[in-house]
Amino acid sequence: MKDLARLRTPVKESVELALNQQIQMEMVSSSKYLAMAGWCDRNGFDYSAGFFYKQSEEERGHAMKLFHYLCDQGATAISPEVPAVAQEFDTLRSVFEGALEQEIAVTDSINRIIAVCRRENDFATEELLRWYVKEQMEEEYIARRCLDLFDQIPADQIFELDKQLSKVTYDGNVFE
Amino acid sequence: MYTVSTRSTDWIEIFRTDKGVVYQCDATQRLILEFWDTYTALSARDFAQFRRMVETVDVRQMALSTDSAHDVEILTPPRSERCYVLTLCEIIHLRELLSGAQMMLELNSLLRECGCTLP
Ligand SMILES: [Fe+2]
Ligand SMILES: [Fe+2]
């Protein structure tokens, strides 16, 4: 008897489901960052706005990478529903706190999917997800470093703070 | 979709309940769902998709709602001309049938992975 599912795709259904959920999560991240960018923009934080516009694009890229992977593997990729996200924030700091929380949630989710891959012996997907592990280390680093700046730069120098926030990068990723 | 009206002898029976049967046809690489005395041939992908459609029906709402719109659920397997108008009971029967078939398909995969083959 032929194994019809395997002939169609090497990706097991549990992995396919998890990756589709991750696509949704990345698209939600993209939407959240876009809302943050808009808030920064209309409140005069031009540099932070630029930072979040870029983040928003990147998150869409993360979703698309998974989307193409599923399609290329013969599995079914689902264009996700993206629910409404918060458009208003109390302070610039709370925007960045939200960003760190989102990145932590994504890291946890990636780790859970790798555990699913190991259970299913899906080494190809695990290999793909390694890229996300590195990416998340970088993203969490940047979000944390941004929050540090709020403590290091006096509150009355908000425009300087805005500028410095957008300059935070992670050079020399230890994985590379 | 293929239109099939009669059962072929090449079909392998995957799973059976009182209400229906799922067969596999190796020659056409299709899974055939027999339900309500009708045969619907689906690719593995469409079969999985249909199973998920059946699994995600909100049966709680069907059971609790007094609105007649919730008495039945209309489901169309992907790329087929079949249209099922299903009551709560029928949804449950179909779930049992499809999940049973899924278990057997997974068992077949497991056997293949360790080098065994079913006839
Ligand atoms: Fe991401
Ligand atoms: Fe991110």
Side-chain angles (χ1 to χ4, degrees):
Chain A
M1 186 177 134
K2 284 181 180 170
D3 184 351
L4 296 185
R6 180 62 184 88
L7 291 173
R8 175 172 75 84
T9 174
V11 180
K12 296 258 169 62
E13 223 181 306
S14 55
V15 174
E16 182 184 273
L17 189 75
L19 292 183
N20 274 310
Q21 283 167 350
Q22 191 58 37
I23 289 173
Q24 201 231 14
M25 193 172 201
E26 300 288 351
M27 292 295 264
V28 169
S29 292
S30 177
S31 180
K32 283 185 177 173
Y33 283 140
L34 186 58
M36 290 170 179
W39 185 90
C40 290
D41 214 339
R42 64 179 175 273
N43 285 286
F45 303 117
D46 290 353
Y47 290 97
S48 296
F51 174 85
F52 285 117
Y53 281 125
K54 194 167 138 271
Q55 286 290 320
S56 175
E57 290 292 331
E58 273 182 23
E59 297 304 341
R60 187 183 155 78
H62 299 166
M64 291 312 293
K65 207 182 176 80
L66 295 169
F67 200 96
H68 288 304
Y69 173 76
L70 283 175
C71 290
D72 293 350
Q73 287 280 46
T76 304
I78 293 166
S79 173
E81 248 173 72
V82 178
V85 297
Q87 304 293 330
E88 292 302 328
F89 303 90
D90 293 336
T91 57
L92 186 61
R93 187 187 193 120
S94 69
V95 172
F96 278 87
E97 281 169 353
L100 175 60
E101 275 167 30
Q102 181 63 18
E103 292 304 336
I104 290 172
V106 170
T107 305
D108 292 352
S109 172
I110 296 290
N111 288 340
R112 276 195 298 271
I113 302 175
I114 292 177
V116 175
C117 290
R118 294 201 172 158
R119 203 160 59 230
E120 301 285 11
N121 288 332
D122 185 342
F123 302 122
T125 306
E126 182 173 339
E127 197 57 39
L128 173 76
L129 290 173
R130 267 177 223 284
W131 182 87
Y132 287 81
V133 171
K134 286 188 218 166
E135 175 67 18
Q136 282 314 116
M137 197 210 150
E138 195 166 319
E139 301 261 68
E140 279 199 33
Y141 172 90
I142 291 172
R144 275 199 199 90
R145 184 73 195 103
C146 286
L147 286 174
D148 285 345
L149 287 178
F150 280 89
D151 297 328
Q152 291 167 344
I153 300 175
D156 58 349
Q157 294 177 32
I158 187 84
F159 293 103
E160 177 61 17
L161 176 62
D162 179 38
K163 207 178 215 170
Q164 292 304 324
L165 284 168
S166 71
K167 285 189 193 160
V168 174
T169 51
Y170 183 35
D171 305 319
N173 189 323
V174 289
F175 286 120
E176 274 149 17
Chain B
M1 152 191 156
Y2 275 77
T3 326
V4 270
S5 44
T6 49
R7 193 184 149 177
S8 156
T9 47
D10 296 340
W11 296 355
I12 305 157
E13 185 176 313
I14 304 286
F15 193 74
R16 172 186 290 273
T17 65
D18 293 349
K19 309 292 173 190
V21 194
V22 173
Y23 305 94
Q24 175 165 321
C25 175
D26 276 357
T28 58
Q29 303 208 2
R30 289 293 186 276
L31 291 160
I32 298 109
L33 171 63
E34 181 186 339
F35 194 68
W36 284 353
D37 299 320
T38 58
Y39 296 102
T40 309
L42 299 163
S43 69
R45 180 202 303 261
D46 292 340
F47 183 84
Q49 187 63 34
F50 182 60
R51 180 167 47 76
R52 280 195 288 257
M53 287 164 73
V54 174
E55 275 167 10
T56 51
V57 170
D58 189 348
V59 286
R60 216 183 107 84
Q61 187 189 49
M62 285 179 85
L64 298 179
S65 171
T66 51
D67 186 340
S68 62
H70 295 139
D71 286 352
V72 289
E73 182 73 27
I74 300 168
L75 292 179
T76 307
R79 295 186 290 151
S80 81
E81 283 147 31
R82 184 82 58 212
C83 182
Y84 291 109
V85 182
L86 300 156
T87 62
L88 177 59
C89 276
E90 287 169 321
I91 295 275
I92 302 297
H93 291 317
L94 205 47
R95 272 188 191 176
E96 187 192 354
L97 176 60
L98 297 177
S99 66
Q102 177 61 19
M103 245 174 58
M104 297 313 287
L105 292 172
E106 278 170 17
L107 177 62
N108 185 42
S109 280
L110 270 175
L111 288 171
R112 186 195 49 77
E113 275 168 26
C114 53
C116 311
T117 42
L118 282 177

